[in-house]
Amino acid sequence: MAANSTSRTPRLAPENRREQLLDATMAVLAEAGFSHITVEAIAQAAGVTRPVIYDTFGDLGSLLLALIERADRRVTGQLAAILGDGVPSDPSPDRFLIDTINAFLAAVREDPSSWRLVLMPPPGNSAELNFRLQRGRGELAGRIRALLDWGLPARGGPRGLDHELTARLLVAIGEDAARLMLAHPRRFSPDRLAAATIDLLAVIPPTPATARADTPPPRPEIAPPARMEELSARFCAPDPRRRVPQAERREQLLNVALVLVAEEGFGALTMEAIARRAEVNRVVIYRSFANLGVLITALMHREDQRVRATLAGLIPQDPGGYAADEVLFDSVHRLLSAACAYPLTWRLALLRPENAPRILQRIVNRRRAALAKRIEPLVGYVIYADAPDTPGHQVEAIARMLLTIGEEIGRLAITEPDAFTPARLLRSVWRLLATISTAPEPIPRQGGSPHHTPGSTSTPPPPAPTSPWTAPTPPSPS
């Protein structure tokens, strides 16, 4: 075969050979997925021998890193072309935003392989790549903030929004919309996502429809999250004065693993690292966990139970009797309260997809889908009250956007606590909710249509209480 004969491998300049092998890898990826990417498969696709690949990249890991870096450059170039580098010529900020959304979704559709590599990379990425992705997010958010500085005054508002925070939230929403389109292209087509975004924009007028207080309604103050140094000392320091029972030792080891993941990611999680941080020998760990996989599974299960305990009360099963903005505000308040009280648990729960192992991604995806379903009645009430025939996938798309906003707010609270304090985040959320054009009438109780028009005399809703539902407390702190 030609692929196995060095005499038939055509000579190419090093840069051309590099691009040829990257293209071949992309072809294998598109056809078979990451699990089938091997040096042999790439060699056959490129029509070269395996030594050619080793001579060019050194090993498979370096080749995959180069592939993702090339995709990142392509994606960055596409975004730069879409957003531009100056004040837009279009005098209508809303029109510019809609055109930008359409151009962004078209770019994802036309080059899905590059976007999938950047937004849904394989597990085990290097710290260097994660740093580059985070830096790219920051640069993109900076450009979006400059556009907000131009667009919101030109639009006439809404005034008082936190432009830096809004830019970060828009980056998160865009990433999640692209992931939905890549993972479910039929359910979340570019047209449907664009229509959902336009509908969401329509309920945020330049000025509030009703006079609302600029400051949030009174809620319990949220203390900032503990620092990593304090958490590490609390959960990793051994107590030499007593023997530790087996059940307590097991919890201690899981806590040490949780600290390591928060500090350095899953790539740093080894039996040796856990033993070193817990100041025990590996035999002690093996008495509780047969291997690292068993330990990680136990950690995922424990933390998922803790997160579910909070999420069970985050959005009420029946939000009837409450104003939609109050429901959303209290949900954010409860999420921030939990994230700041248990930052290690929520660092894991809100880990970005490119940093999470596959087992965690599956857990998070199921959890997000269930929570989005709980948000859909609010979307129907606030945005589609006059359009009961709106496609369900469009309602789901907006519910996912709102969920993404909540997740990013929680992530910022625990990863950048100095810049994004709970008070700043809550104030910004309330100011945004205060602009929503739907009057803050109570949501109808379940039993009627979720699109029931507020104030109808046929089914008068009960008055909204001032103290909403109570969320359950997680089983134990972390």
Side-chain angles (χ1 to χ4, degrees):
M1 295 177 62
N4 297 322
S5 173
T6 54
S7 62
R8 296 188 182 182
T9 300
R11 291 184 176 275
L12 294 176
E15 190 56 38
N16 292 340
R17 176 68 72 194
R18 181 183 178 88
E19 290 300 306
Q20 177 208 20
L21 295 177
L22 292 176
D23 289 340
T25 306
M26 188 71 85
V28 174
L29 174 63
E31 180 178 351
F34 278 111
S35 61
H36 290 79
I37 292 183
T38 63
V39 172
E40 182 64 32
I42 297 169
Q44 290 184 4
V48 300
T49 60
R50 296 172 59 180
V52 172
I53 297 176
Y54 291 122
D55 289 343
T56 305
F57 289 101
D59 56 31
L60 182 61
S62 298
L63 188 156
L64 290 176
L65 179 60
L67 184 70
I68 297 175
E69 289 176 340
R70 186 180 75 166
D72 184 47
R73 289 193 298 272
R74 289 180 176 178
V75 164
T76 301
Q78 292 169 8
L79 287 174
I82 292 170
L83 294 174
D85 56 3
V87 175
S89 57
D90 191 332
S92 168
D94 284 12
R95 183 71 258 168
F96 173 78
L97 176 60
I98 292 169
D99 290 344
T100 299
I101 292 168
N102 286 327
F104 167 68
L105 295 174
V108 177
R109 179 180 56 191
E110 292 166 7
D111 190 8
S113 298
S114 294
W115 284 91
R116 185 175 285 107
L117 276 171
V118 172
L119 297 175
M120 305 162 68
N125 293 319
S126 67
E128 176 190 357
L129 177 59
N130 291 331
F131 172 77
R132 288 185 53 161
L133 294 175
Q134 189 62 27
R135 183 181 61 187
R137 284 190 183 96
E139 293 171 352
L140 179 59
R143 175 56 185 148
I144 292 177
R145 179 179 180 179
L147 291 171
L148 290 171
D149 292 342
W150 157 78
L152 289 178
R155 185 177 187 258
R159 298 178 178 85
L161 293 186
D162 186 327
H163 290 193
E164 181 184 10
L165 173 61
T166 304
R168 299 286 287 271
L169 298 180
L170 288 174
V171 171
I173 290 172
E175 287 187 358
D176 196 52
R179 289 192 192 97
L180 286 175
M181 195 170 75
L182 292 169
H184 310 285
R186 293 185 179 181
R187 288 172 59 198
F188 299 103
S189 65
D191 291 343
R192 179 162 285 158
L193 288 171
T197 307
I198 293 169
D199 290 345
L200 186 59
L201 179 66
V203 298
I204 306 177
T207 55
T210 56
R212 307 293 302 281
D214 190 48
T215 56
R219 293 292 184 270
E221 185 176 351
I222 301 174
R227 302 284 179 176
M228 279 303 305
E229 302 81 20
E230 177 187 342
L231 294 169
S232 179
R234 185 190 309 170
F235 295 116
C236 297
D239 185 355
R241 296 170 297 179
R242 65 185 181 88
R243 291 176 59 87
V244 179
Q246 183 71 11
E248 186 177 336
R249 175 69 74 187
R250 178 184 174 89
E251 289 301 302
Q252 181 214 6
L253 295 173
L254 291 177
N255 287 334
V256 170
L258 192 60
V259 169
L260 285 172
V261 170
E263 290 179 342
E264 304 178 52
F266 275 90
L269 200 59
T270 64
M271 291 299 218
E272 291 78 4
I274 296 171
R276 188 165 52 250
R277 181 62 70 89
E279 298 187 20
V280 299
N281 60 51
R282 285 182 293 173
V283 174
V284 173
I285 303 178
Y286 285 118
R287 287 173 185 158
S288 297
F289 305 100
N291 53 54
L292 183 61
V294 172
L295 187 150
I296 292 176
T297 300
L299 179 65
M300 294 296 98
H301 177 73
R302 188 188 75 171
E303 298 309 308
D304 185 50
Q305 292 296 107
R306 291 175 172 178
V307 171
R308 284 179 182 275
T310 296
L311 295 184
L314 198 64
I315 300 289
Q317 292 285 354
D318 178 8
Y322 303 99
D325 57 351
E326 291 277 343
V327 173
L328 291 172
F329 181 75
D330 277 288
S331 296
V332 173
H333 184 276
R334 294 183 188 286
L335 177 62
L336 281 176
S337 298
C340 292
Y342 314 116
L344 292 180
T345 289
W346 286 90
R347 274 178 179 268
L348 183 62
L350 298 173
L351 203 63
R352 293 190 182 279
E354 69 269 15
N355 299 329
R358 296 237 181 257
I359 182 174
L360 180 57
Q361 290 180 20
R362 290 194 295 268
I363 291 172
V364 170
N365 288 338
R366 288 196 299 267
R367 202 161 58 204
R368 293 185 86 241
L371 196 56
K373 283 291 182 187
R374 301 271 290 277
I375 301 176
E376 287 180 20
L378 302 180
V379 174
Y381 174 76
V382 174
I383 299 177
Y384 297 117
D386 298 324
D389 296 329
T390 302
H393 294 326
Q394 200 154 310
V395 175
E396 182 183 1
I398 294 183
R400 295 257 185 170
M401 291 180 192
L402 296 177
L403 180 58
T404 300
I405 289 173
E407 289 174 335
E408 185 67 9
I409 287 173
R411 192 178 292 123
L412 290 172
I414 55 180
T415 59
E416 302 182 42
D418 293 333
F420 296 99
T421 63
R424 175 184 178 181
L425 293 168
L426 289 171
R427 184 170 59 250
S428 300
V429 167
W430 181 252
R431 285 178 176 172
L432 180 59
L433 291 172
T435 69
I436 293 177
S437 59
T438 300
E441 298 287 346
I443 299 173
R445 292 285 181 185
Q446 288 184 359
S449 167
H451 304 300
H452 168 77
T453 304
S456 169
T457 57
S458 59
T459 312
T466 56
S467 178
W469 57 94
T470 301
T473 303
S476 59
S478 58

